[in-house]
Amino acid sequence: MTAPDVTFDEAKARELEEKFDPEVRFRPLGPVASWIAALALFSLSLFHYYTAGFGLLREVTHRGVHMAFVLALIFLVFSGKRGDDKLYGGSLWRPAGIPVVDWVLMALAVVSTLYVPWVFHDLAFRVGNPLAIDVIMGSILIAVLLEATRRSMGWPLPVIAIIIMAYGMFGRYAPGLLVHPGASWSTLVNHLYLTSQGIYGLPVGVVATYVFHFVLFGVLATRMGLGQLFIDTATSIAGRFSGGPAKVSVVASALMGSISGSSIANAVTTGSLTIPAMVRIGYPRHFAAAVEAAASTGGQITPPIMGAAAFLMIEFLAIPYTHVMIAALVPAFMHFFGVLMQVHFEAKRRGLRGLTREEMPQIWRVLKRDWPTLIPLFVLVAILMNGFTPYLAAFWGITACMVIGLVNPRHRLTPLDIFDAFVTGAKYALAVGAAAATVGIVIGVVTLTGVSFKVAYIVTSTAASWAAAAEAVMPFELMGTAALTLLMTLILTGVVCIIMGTGVPTTANYLIMVTVTAPILALLGVEPLVAHFFVFYYGILADITPPVALCAYATAGIAGANPFTAGNTAFRLGMGKALVPFVFVFSPSLLIMVQDFSLQEFALATFGCVLGITALSAAFSDYLLDRLWWWERVLLGFAAILLVAPELTTTIIGTAIFLPIAARPLFWKRRDAVPA
């Protein structure tokens, strides 16, 4: 990995991201349409930047302006079908190269979205008894919103919204406990369109006041050199060790994740540099792709800038963002630690080298050269930690990025670069904006019908019956009935989150699942913060879970590897993320910011997690201090389960199993050939 290899090529990263991430796969535009789109995107970013610093508009007006921009721009930059993504010239049916139907849809989106803010002063007298024009406008918005979401994210989420709306209308025909009287179309539109429980609800509000600003900050921070600093720092810290480029990938992804809440953006940014280096020193191509994918999914759980779900969490729970940041620290560390341990064991088993001194930058030179790029991140974190709103922190962080970018000679930004960053930041926020509004439909129907409480009863009853069956066949009692019921409920919830995540993006997955599962876990005594984090983690895990592991597919494309094989390996590397949520449900002190925090419980859970993840990583990698016998791998897997169970007895038993296996190579070496 020579010096030229570690130079971050932003244009290449953007090209890879647009190739592999469907949410930023825009159609080519002609000169006129390109300028129209660029000016509209810049105006959207400028609107959010200005309101973050100088005051938000009235809630419904702010959300309405945001949605009007987002939906109109989606019809401009996303094609309606795959065959319609060619560059066309202007004509009567394609003004500025865009089909006339898309211009009509843009106009309908703007009018129907801004209608509610326009008549807001009169809504108090019409909610519950909508006028005919209200129903017409609401119907138009629902239709264009579903189409905009289909274009930007695919079919799964619109189909879910259509099914849930059908349930809201025809609930009298639903089976068993799910039956309800049903609502007329006008009643449904009234709830989804004219109240704050539907399309204009919390999801859109969070995207319009928090998420957008942090996406823009991440784009500007990368442009003004912070991404390059992170990559150079990771290389200088981790590169010298065995299998160096893979460890650089993990550390760089952790650092990049602190400013980017997107798994795929993180993967292509660091992966374009680290994956070729991993392949060059001897890692298989599918493993190199998997390392980058597994590490990059940690971006959404890494403070200070986490994924959109973190900002939704603070609104759902009415807690400061700093509480979410602190709660995420230990679980995020466990995720990256798990990937790093498997990378290390794989490198030792294969006898792979690290980077030489000539192949690595020196840390003191990196910091001396690029320390100014850290200023915006310090500004943002300092304002957050002092209790100010996240959007005000983002405003000053963005401002600091522009100032440093304009004066820093090493990564100097021109006004045109800043304009382009504002355009790119708005592009990245389009798909999540449409998804948030569509999830508002789902949440609106759930609140209208009360189905979440019925689902909670069904799930807890099923889990209780499964727990009773498991307890009957256990040779001795490891867990009580209540704990077994909770365990079965968590397994059901985790599986549904992963399945849902194969077709729905992580933010939408979190919103849907937390709406349904939060009442379930609350019935079983789980603290709200813990319940939200559990759903959050398992929703993100879908990015590396085949058959639809988008992050793994993106890195497989860079590595030239089989996508399914890379996805399976990435899932295995991310098993730490799958284990840790169960730990913090049964031992909430791991999240620190819980009501009954116990230092003793925290220490025991942390120790058990570290040793358990190490044991599981060794079992998967077939290496600890030496190659392992098959029965040692089985025992280590069993020890891992005992170690992550937050009980002193199980931790002692797990440690007693782990230590002899770890010590065995000191007395008896096993020297088998390393598999290809």
Side-chain angles (χ1 to χ4, degrees):
M1 194 174 190
T2 58
D5 293 329
V6 296
T7 301
F8 173 58
D9 186 343
E10 188 197 340
K12 181 180 179 182
R14 289 172 65 182
E15 180 184 343
L16 288 168
E17 190 175 357
E18 291 185 10
K19 180 179 179 181
F20 294 111
D21 189 350
E23 295 181 20
V24 292
R25 195 174 295 156
F26 310 118
R27 64 178 164 196
L29 299 173
V32 175
S34 293
W35 274 108
I36 293 173
L39 289 173
L41 288 162
F42 176 77
S43 299
L44 176 58
S45 288
L46 191 63
F47 164 75
H48 283 294
Y49 172 66
Y50 178 84
T51 54
F54 299 97
L56 303 180
L57 305 181
R58 183 178 59 189
E59 185 177 270
V60 70
T61 304
H62 192 90
R63 297 176 183 183
V65 171
H66 169 82
M67 270 206 301
F69 266 110
V70 165
L71 297 183
L73 281 163
I74 285 174
F75 291 116
L76 183 60
V77 301
F78 285 94
S79 59
K81 55 184 178 180
R82 289 186 180 274
D84 190 35
D85 57 357
K86 299 176 182 178
L87 181 60
Y88 293 92
S91 68
L92 179 63
W93 299 107
R94 286 182 172 271
I98 306 297
V100 69
V101 66
D102 289 352
W103 291 106
V104 172
L105 289 171
M106 288 170 60
L108 290 174
V110 171
V111 172
S112 60
T113 302
L114 295 179
Y115 174 79
V116 171
W118 180 262
V119 301
F120 182 75
H121 62 280
D122 199 32
L123 280 186
F125 306 101
R126 286 151 62 174
V127 171
N129 187 28
L131 302 178
I133 186 64
D134 299 335
V135 177
I136 292 171
M137 286 293 183
S139 302
I140 291 172
L141 179 57
I142 291 171
V144 297
L145 173 58
L146 293 175
E147 169 61 11
T149 308
R150 182 196 68 82
R151 291 192 182 199
S152 58
M153 312 204 79
W155 277 106
L157 186 55
V159 168
I160 290 171
I162 291 169
I163 292 172
I164 199 74
M165 282 193 293
Y167 171 73
M169 294 179 64
F170 305 109
R172 66 178 69 91
Y173 304 112
L177 289 175
L178 296 178
V179 70
H180 69 91
S184 66
W185 178 249
S186 63
T187 301
L188 190 64
V189 171
N190 169 79
H191 189 73
L192 298 180
Y193 185 56
L194 300 182
T195 75
S196 60
Q197 302 296 311
I199 295 172
Y200 289 84
L202 182 64
V204 164
V206 169
V207 172
T209 52
Y210 298 140
V211 177
F212 192 100
H213 308 80
F214 282 87
V215 170
L216 183 56
F217 173 82
V219 171
L220 275 164
T222 303
R223 296 280 178 93
M224 49 80 71
L226 190 54
Q228 182 68 60
L229 171 64
F230 284 160
I231 292 171
D232 288 344
T233 301
T235 305
S236 62
I237 291 173
R240 66 175 62 88
F241 301 106
S242 178
K247 293 173 181 174
V248 170
S249 172
V250 177
V251 176
S253 294
L255 294 173
M256 286 294 294
S258 68
I259 62 169
S260 169
S262 168
S263 300
I264 295 177
N266 195 348
V268 300
T269 298
T270 56
S272 60
L273 303 173
T274 59
I275 289 174
M278 282 188 267
V279 172
R280 190 164 64 246
I281 70 163
Y283 281 107
R285 291 184 178 274
H286 75 275
F287 189 84
V291 169
E292 184 57 55
S296 295
T297 56
Q300 296 188 60
I301 59 172
T302 306
I305 302 176
M306 300 162 66
F311 297 100
L312 289 159
M313 201 182 297
I314 68 175
E315 291 295 321
F316 273 120
L317 301 176
I319 59 176
Y321 184 62
T322 50
H323 285 200
V324 176
M325 287 170 50
I326 295 170
L329 286 173
V330 177
F333 166 79
M334 294 300 174
H335 166 69
F336 290 109
F337 176 74
V339 179
L340 195 63
M341 291 308 296
Q342 292 199 55
V343 163
H344 173 71
F345 291 145
E346 187 77 15
K348 298 298 286 186
R349 184 170 66 85
R350 293 179 177 275
L352 302 181
R353 70 175 180 89
L355 301 177
T356 63
R357 186 184 298 272
E358 292 72 25
E359 293 174 311
M360 296 186 302
Q362 294 182 339
I363 183 66
W364 66 270
R365 288 184 177 175
V366 170
L367 294 176
K368 181 180 179 181
R369 182 185 64 199
D370 288 335
W371 68 266
T373 60
L374 287 168
I375 293 175
L377 186 60
F378 287 146
V379 167
L380 183 144
V381 172
I383 295 175
L384 278 176
M385 297 303 291
N386 277 282
F388 292 96
T389 59
Y391 54 83
L392 185 62
F395 170 81
W396 286 110
I398 292 167
T399 303
C401 282
M402 291 190 288
V403 171
I404 298 298
L406 290 170
V407 302
N408 184 11
R410 176 164 164 75
H411 296 282
R412 191 180 299 280
L413 297 179
T414 66
L416 188 59
D417 292 328
I418 294 174
F419 175 86
D420 185 61
F422 271 55
V423 169
T424 303
K427 276 186 176 182
Y428 287 171
L430 294 182
V432 71
T438 303
V439 171
I441 293 176
V442 177
I443 294 174
V445 175
V446 168
T447 59
L448 181 65
T449 60
V451 69
S452 60
F453 297 101
K454 298 177 181 180
V455 172
Y457 177 78
I458 294 171
V459 171
T460 51
S461 300
T462 303
S465 63
W466 287 7
E471 197 172 18
V473 299
M474 280 185 178
F476 53 90
E477 184 176 336
L478 283 176
M479 306 175 76
T481 303
L484 269 174
T485 301
L486 177 57
L487 177 63
M488 296 299 175
T489 303
L490 293 174
I491 292 172
L492 279 171
T493 302
V495 169
V496 174
C497 281
I498 292 174
I499 293 172
M500 182 79 74
T502 60
V504 176
T506 54
T507 303
N509 187 9
Y510 164 78
L511 282 166
I512 294 170
M513 291 304 301
V514 84
T515 303
V516 176
T517 59
I520 298 174
L521 297 177
L523 284 175
L524 298 174
V526 178
E527 194 170 327
L529 178 65
V530 178
H532 280 250
F533 259 89
F534 184 89
V535 174
F536 183 23
Y537 265 61
Y538 266 91
I540 294 169
L541 198 64
D543 274 355
I544 52 172
T545 306
V548 187
L550 291 180
C551 193
Y553 291 176
T555 56
I558 299 171
N562 180 288
F564 194 77
T565 305
N568 283 331
T569 307
F571 182 74
R572 185 250 286 183
L573 293 173
M575 281 306 294
K577 187 186 287 185
L579 285 177
V580 170
F582 284 90
V583 179
F584 60 62
V585 169
F586 287 99
S587 182
S589 293
L590 198 69
L591 296 183
I592 302 174
M593 304 303 296
V594 290
Q595 293 177 358
D596 298 319
F597 174 77
S598 164
L599 185 59
Q600 180 180 349
E601 182 183 82
F602 173 80
L604 181 64
T606 302
F607 171 79
C609 268
V610 168
L611 203 59
I613 288 172
T614 302
L616 189 65
S617 300
F620 277 131
S621 304
D622 189 18
Y623 193 94
L624 189 50
L625 296 179
D626 190 14
R627 293 290 305 279
L628 298 169
W629 297 99
W630 67 267
W631 52 268
E632 290 178 316
R633 297 175 68 183
V634 172
L635 285 175
L636 284 174
F638 180 63
I641 296 172
L642 293 175
L643 284 162
V644 299
E647 294 288 341
L648 182 59
T649 303
T650 56
T651 302
I652 291 172
I653 296 172
T655 305
I657 296 173
F658 176 85
L659 290 178
I661 298 174
R664 189 265 301 165
L666 301 176
F667 306 99
W668 178 27
K669 294 284 186 182
R670 180 187 177 191
R671 298 295 185 187
D672 290 348
V674 177

